[in-house]
Amino acid sequence: SNLQCSLSVGIKIKKEVANAFVKRQKRSSLYERYFEYYKNPMEQMHERCENYPPCDYLSDQIGFSLAYNRFFG
């Protein structure tokens, strides 16, 4: 009987930890989405260039603004 009791307590604790983790994940993703939405245009341009390998490579060679304008300007 004692084993059964400690098992159910262990399971309950695991569920609570998991729920807290899921809530924290949801909160951080909402927080991140907020910041994605409110990024300044320069940051968005840099990310766009970094996510496009030819632009990312060229920006190392000739500078960000020239590379960005070549591909997206």
Side-chain angles (χ1 to χ4, degrees):
S1 167
N2 197 7
L3 178 67
Q4 184 66 38
C5 179
S6 68
L7 259 176
S8 66
V9 167
I11 290 168
K12 184 177 190 307
I13 288 169
K14 281 185 180 148
K15 276 179 83 173
E16 283 174 10
V17 168
N19 286 344
F21 179 75
V22 167
K23 279 181 189 152
R24 198 164 54 243
Q25 289 290 91
K26 281 184 184 161
R27 194 165 52 235
S28 80
S29 68
L30 190 69
Y31 189 68
E32 285 160 18
R33 276 199 300 265
Y34 175 84
F35 275 98
E36 281 292 312
Y37 188 75
Y38 286 103
K39 270 191 188 141
N40 70 36
M42 196 62 173
E43 215 174 329
Q44 291 172 359
M45 289 163 70
H46 273 279
E47 280 187 3
R48 188 175 182 195
C49 187
E50 284 166 9
N51 291 332
Y52 185 60
C55 183
D56 192 32
Y57 174 77
L58 197 60
S59 76
D60 288 339
Q61 311 302 312
I62 64 172
F64 167 73
S65 54
L66 290 172
Y68 186 88
N69 286 335
R70 179 167 297 178
F71 291 103
F72 305 108

